[in-house]
Short mmCIF file of all heavy atoms in Angstrom, two decimals:
data_model
loop_
_atom_site.label_atom_id
_atom_site.label_comp_id
_atom_site.label_asym_id
_atom_site.label_seq_id
_atom_site.Cartn_x
_atom_site.Cartn_y
_atom_site.Cartn_z
N GLY A 23 -13.51 -19.60 8.22
CA GLY A 23 -12.53 -19.78 9.29
C GLY A 23 -11.28 -20.49 8.77
O GLY A 23 -10.16 -20.14 9.13
N ASP A 24 -11.43 -21.50 7.88
CA ASP A 24 -10.32 -22.19 7.29
C ASP A 24 -9.40 -21.20 6.55
O ASP A 24 -8.21 -21.19 6.75
CB ASP A 24 -10.78 -23.27 6.30
CG ASP A 24 -11.70 -24.32 6.91
OD1 ASP A 24 -12.59 -23.94 7.68
OD2 ASP A 24 -11.50 -25.48 6.60
N ARG A 27 -7.59 -18.81 8.97
CA ARG A 27 -6.46 -19.47 9.66
C ARG A 27 -5.29 -19.64 8.67
O ARG A 27 -4.13 -19.56 9.09
CB ARG A 27 -6.91 -20.75 10.33
CG ARG A 27 -7.68 -20.46 11.57
CD ARG A 27 -8.16 -21.74 12.27
NE ARG A 27 -9.29 -22.37 11.57
CZ ARG A 27 -10.56 -22.00 11.69
NH1 ARG A 27 -10.87 -20.96 12.43
NH2 ARG A 27 -11.50 -22.65 11.04
N TRP A 67 -14.14 -14.10 10.76
CA TRP A 67 -14.33 -15.41 10.10
C TRP A 67 -13.79 -16.52 11.00
O TRP A 67 -14.41 -17.59 11.07
CB TRP A 67 -13.59 -15.41 8.79
CG TRP A 67 -14.15 -14.56 7.69
CD1 TRP A 67 -15.30 -13.80 7.75
CD2 TRP A 67 -13.61 -14.35 6.40
NE1 TRP A 67 -15.50 -13.14 6.58
CE2 TRP A 67 -14.47 -13.48 5.74
CE3 TRP A 67 -12.48 -14.79 5.77
CZ2 TRP A 67 -14.24 -13.03 4.39
CZ3 TRP A 67 -12.23 -14.41 4.45
CH2 TRP A 67 -13.11 -13.54 3.80
N HIS A 68 -12.65 -16.32 11.64
CA HIS A 68 -12.06 -17.35 12.49
C HIS A 68 -13.04 -17.68 13.63
O HIS A 68 -13.22 -18.87 13.95
CB HIS A 68 -10.75 -16.79 13.03
CG HIS A 68 -10.10 -17.58 14.16
ND1 HIS A 68 -9.56 -18.81 13.92
CD2 HIS A 68 -9.94 -17.30 15.45
CE1 HIS A 68 -9.09 -19.28 15.10
NE2 HIS A 68 -9.27 -18.37 16.01
N ALA A 69 -13.66 -16.68 14.24
CA ALA A 69 -14.58 -16.90 15.32
C ALA A 69 -15.87 -17.56 14.81
O ALA A 69 -16.47 -18.42 15.52
CB ALA A 69 -14.89 -15.61 16.07
N GLN A 70 -16.36 -17.15 13.71
CA GLN A 70 -17.61 -17.64 13.11
C GLN A 70 -17.50 -19.09 12.70
O GLN A 70 -18.51 -19.79 12.73
CB GLN A 70 -17.97 -16.74 11.98
CG GLN A 70 -18.77 -17.26 10.89
CD GLN A 70 -18.90 -16.27 9.71
OE1 GLN A 70 -18.74 -15.07 9.87
NE2 GLN A 70 -19.20 -16.79 8.56
N ASP A 71 -16.31 -19.57 12.28
CA ASP A 71 -16.15 -20.88 11.73
C ASP A 71 -14.93 -21.53 12.41
O ASP A 71 -13.85 -21.53 11.89
CB ASP A 71 -15.97 -20.83 10.23
CG ASP A 71 -15.66 -22.13 9.58
OD1 ASP A 71 -16.12 -23.15 10.06
OD2 ASP A 71 -14.90 -22.14 8.57
N PRO A 72 -15.12 -22.10 13.63
CA PRO A 72 -14.01 -22.70 14.38
C PRO A 72 -13.41 -23.88 13.63
O PRO A 72 -14.04 -24.47 12.77
CB PRO A 72 -14.60 -23.13 15.72
CG PRO A 72 -16.00 -22.80 15.66
CD PRO A 72 -16.37 -22.18 14.32
N PRO A 73 -12.22 -24.32 13.99
CA PRO A 73 -11.58 -25.50 13.33
C PRO A 73 -12.47 -26.73 13.43
O PRO A 73 -12.96 -27.06 14.52
CB PRO A 73 -10.28 -25.69 14.06
CG PRO A 73 -9.95 -24.38 14.69
CD PRO A 73 -11.30 -23.74 14.99
N SER A 74 -12.66 -27.37 12.31
CA SER A 74 -13.48 -28.60 12.22
C SER A 74 -12.54 -29.80 12.35
O SER A 74 -11.31 -29.68 12.24
CB SER A 74 -14.23 -28.68 10.92
OG SER A 74 -13.28 -28.76 9.86
N SER A 75 -13.11 -30.98 12.52
CA SER A 75 -12.31 -32.20 12.56
C SER A 75 -11.61 -32.39 11.21
O SER A 75 -10.47 -32.88 11.15
CB SER A 75 -13.13 -33.39 12.96
OG SER A 75 -14.19 -33.56 12.08
N ALA A 76 -12.26 -32.03 10.09
CA ALA A 76 -11.64 -32.17 8.79
C ALA A 76 -10.42 -31.24 8.66
O ALA A 76 -9.39 -31.62 8.10
CB ALA A 76 -12.65 -31.82 7.67
N GLU A 77 -10.52 -30.04 9.17
CA GLU A 77 -9.40 -29.11 9.15
C GLU A 77 -8.26 -29.59 10.01
O GLU A 77 -7.10 -29.51 9.66
CB GLU A 77 -9.87 -27.69 9.59
CG GLU A 77 -8.86 -26.62 9.36
CD GLU A 77 -9.34 -25.24 9.78
OE1 GLU A 77 -10.47 -25.13 10.36
OE2 GLU A 77 -8.60 -24.28 9.53
N GLN A 78 -8.61 -30.16 11.16
CA GLN A 78 -7.54 -30.72 12.05
C GLN A 78 -6.86 -31.92 11.36
O GLN A 78 -5.62 -32.05 11.44
CB GLN A 78 -8.17 -31.13 13.37
CG GLN A 78 -8.60 -29.92 14.19
CD GLN A 78 -9.51 -30.27 15.35
OE1 GLN A 78 -10.09 -31.35 15.42
NE2 GLN A 78 -9.64 -29.33 16.29
N PRO A 94 -0.56 -23.25 13.74
CA PRO A 94 -0.91 -23.13 15.13
C PRO A 94 -2.30 -22.59 15.45
O PRO A 94 -2.82 -22.86 16.49
CB PRO A 94 0.17 -22.18 15.64
CG PRO A 94 0.54 -21.37 14.46
CD PRO A 94 0.42 -22.30 13.28
N PHE A 95 -2.92 -21.92 14.47
CA PHE A 95 -4.24 -21.37 14.70
C PHE A 95 -5.33 -22.41 14.57
O PHE A 95 -6.47 -22.19 14.99
CB PHE A 95 -4.50 -20.19 13.78
CG PHE A 95 -3.44 -19.11 13.95
CD1 PHE A 95 -2.46 -18.88 12.97
CD2 PHE A 95 -3.37 -18.37 15.11
CE1 PHE A 95 -1.51 -17.92 13.15
CE2 PHE A 95 -2.39 -17.44 15.30
CZ PHE A 95 -1.43 -17.19 14.32
N ILE A 96 -4.99 -23.60 14.07
CA ILE A 96 -5.87 -24.72 14.08
C ILE A 96 -5.74 -25.48 15.39
O ILE A 96 -6.74 -25.82 16.04
CB ILE A 96 -5.60 -25.68 12.87
CG1 ILE A 96 -5.88 -24.98 11.55
CG2 ILE A 96 -6.45 -26.98 12.98
CD1 ILE A 96 -5.44 -25.72 10.33
N ASP A 97 -4.47 -25.71 15.79
CA ASP A 97 -4.25 -26.40 17.08
C ASP A 97 -4.65 -25.56 18.29
O ASP A 97 -5.04 -26.09 19.29
CB ASP A 97 -2.79 -26.74 17.17
CG ASP A 97 -2.34 -27.79 16.18
OD1 ASP A 97 -3.20 -28.62 15.75
OD2 ASP A 97 -1.15 -27.82 15.78
N HIS A 98 -4.45 -24.25 18.19
CA HIS A 98 -4.75 -23.34 19.31
C HIS A 98 -5.51 -22.15 18.79
O HIS A 98 -4.94 -21.05 18.59
CB HIS A 98 -3.43 -22.90 19.97
CG HIS A 98 -2.66 -23.99 20.58
ND1 HIS A 98 -2.95 -24.51 21.83
CD2 HIS A 98 -1.62 -24.74 20.11
CE1 HIS A 98 -2.11 -25.48 22.12
NE2 HIS A 98 -1.32 -25.65 21.07
N PRO A 99 -6.79 -22.25 18.58
CA PRO A 99 -7.57 -21.15 18.01
C PRO A 99 -7.49 -19.93 18.85
O PRO A 99 -7.62 -18.77 18.34
CB PRO A 99 -9.00 -21.70 17.96
CG PRO A 99 -8.89 -23.15 18.06
CD PRO A 99 -7.62 -23.46 18.78
N GLU A 100 -7.29 -20.03 20.15
CA GLU A 100 -7.23 -18.87 21.03
C GLU A 100 -6.03 -17.99 20.74
O GLU A 100 -5.97 -16.81 21.09
CB GLU A 100 -7.19 -19.33 22.50
CG GLU A 100 -5.89 -20.01 22.97
CD GLU A 100 -5.81 -21.50 22.63
OE1 GLU A 100 -6.63 -22.06 21.84
OE2 GLU A 100 -4.87 -22.12 23.18
#
Side-chain angles (χ1 to χ4, degrees):
D24 302 44
R27 285 179 286 280
W67 289 357
H68 170 69
Q70 153 188 337
D71 175 32
S74 66
S75 57
E77 189 178 7
Q78 291 166 342
F95 303 109
I96 296 170
D97 293 333
H98 297 278
E100 71 277 11

